[in-house]
Amino acid sequence: MKIATWNVNSIKARLEPALAWLKDAKPDVVCLQEIKCIDENFPREPFEALGYNCAVHGQKSYNGVAILSKRPIEDVTPRLPAPDGVLDDHSRYLEAVISGEKGVVRVASIYAPNGNPWPGPKFDYKLAWLERLRLHAKGLLKNEEPVVLMGDFNIIPEDKDADRPKAWLKDALFQPESKAALRRIENLGYTDAFRSLHPEGGHYTFWDYFGSWERNNGIRIDHVLLSPQGLDRLQNVGIDKAVRGASEKPSDHVPVWVQLDI
């Protein structure tokens, strides 16, 4: 089963590039982030025409996540649980169970907070949200099933995940606290799928709109974390870098995908 993630930076603005990529890459499941529309305005019809079922957790103008699947989508759960009883009013998390030929996989589409400007309330919110994610991710391991936590984590894990690390020293994406929050999730037993097969640096998933693509001044902030059962089924992983230059109005992110034996 090929499972992909992509921050499209507005599904309406990137609909044609998204459809072109789907026709070419043919993923079985796709997690989208930053769709920037409410559920009712999500353009389901073009995706359904390609054979995808759609689960959407949208928000007007900002955020928003979705899961597309060529197989039935079950146990759809929006938003992270709230240990403090206060639900997050941002649409940043959507989870579902999808059956494959060899079992089921639990997939989550994640759009973590950016956290800028750092320091400040937005950075505090970022860390608090990531802690909610950690607590939920810990609970998911009890099911002993393949889990795929994928999306835009807005975290640069290491120096080798940025073309110019020093340029990000005052950015929320590169703060020690942000990196530590990601490591705490991994330390539960999750594995960075891309890093597990590509330990070398120089691989990026994001380039801003101000000439960075042309200079390959990128960062790797879109990640796929696999539970132990998911890692056991990992066959391949990749970044579809060419998507960034394939249209006149591309997203600043590109798709990342894993192939699992499910």
Side-chain angles (χ1 to χ4, degrees):
M1 182 183 291
K2 187 176 184 179
I3 308 176
T5 178
W6 190 10
N7 179 325
V8 291
N9 191 13
S10 175
I11 191 59
K12 292 183 179 179
R14 322 292 174 204
L15 181 57
E16 291 306 317
L19 293 172
W21 171 73
L22 286 172
K23 292 175 184 177
D24 181 58
K26 297 179 173 60
D28 300 290
V29 180
V30 184
C31 291
L32 301 177
Q33 299 89 42
E34 211 171 353
I35 59 174
K36 295 182 178 179
C37 69
I38 59 174
D39 296 15
E40 294 79 6
N41 291 342
F42 186 82
R44 295 172 179 268
E45 292 80 5
F47 297 112
E48 291 172 346
L50 294 180
Y52 289 97
N53 301 296
C54 304
V56 182
H57 178 40
Q59 182 176 338
K60 184 178 181 181
S61 303
Y62 300 97
N63 308 321
V65 286
I67 298 176
L68 314 180
S69 173
K70 290 187 175 181
R71 295 179 178 271
I73 303 175
E74 303 173 313
D75 194 18
V76 178
T77 306
R79 289 194 173 88
L80 288 168
D84 57 4
V86 181
L87 286 173
D88 188 5
D89 59 359
H90 290 186
S91 298
R92 295 185 175 276
Y93 185 90
L94 184 64
E95 177 186 308
V97 172
I98 299 168
S99 296
E101 297 177 357
K102 299 180 179 180
V104 301
V105 59
R106 187 175 296 272
V107 179
S109 182
I110 293 168
Y111 180 45
N114 178 283
N116 283 303
W118 166 85
K122 290 186 176 181
F123 186 66
D124 296 340
Y125 167 65
K126 176 189 184 80
L127 297 181
W129 194 94
L130 289 168
E131 176 59 13
R132 283 189 180 189
L133 177 61
R134 187 192 70 82
L135 292 171
H136 184 58
K138 181 179 180 180
L140 293 180
L141 292 176
K142 297 177 182 178
N143 298 325
E144 296 187 352
E145 63 187 1
V147 178
V148 182
L149 305 178
M150 63 184 348
D152 179 3
F153 282 74
N154 268 314
I155 297 172
I156 306 169
E158 300 179 71
D159 285 9
K160 63 183 177 181
D161 294 306
D163 180 57
R164 301 177 183 177
K166 291 183 179 180
W168 298 90
L169 290 177
K170 295 184 179 181
D171 194 286
L173 279 63
F174 203 47
Q175 294 309 304
E177 296 93 335
S178 301
K179 299 176 189 180
L182 181 60
R183 285 197 302 272
R184 279 194 291 270
I185 297 172
E186 294 176 341
N187 288 342
L188 295 171
Y190 289 89
T191 298
D192 180 336
F194 188 83
R195 183 60 70 221
S196 71
L197 297 184
H198 298 277
E200 72 282 1
H203 299 282
Y204 311 126
T205 65
F206 171 93
W207 300 259
D208 69 29
Y209 290 120
F210 307 104
S212 290
W213 167 250
E214 292 75 11
R215 301 189 302 271
N216 197 30
N217 179 18
I219 53 177
R220 191 176 73 95
I221 57 175
D222 302 86
H223 307 300
V224 181
L225 302 186
L226 300 177
S227 68
Q229 294 79 10
L231 183 64
D232 287 343
R233 296 168 183 259
L234 178 62
Q235 296 176 317
N236 202 359
V237 60
I239 298 172
D240 285 352
K241 181 179 178 180
V243 172
R244 183 64 164 82
S247 65
E248 293 183 0
K249 295 182 178 180
S251 170
D252 39 10
H253 298 251
V254 296
V256 182
W257 55 268
V258 291
Q259 187 78 39
L260 302 182
D261 184 23
I262 294 177

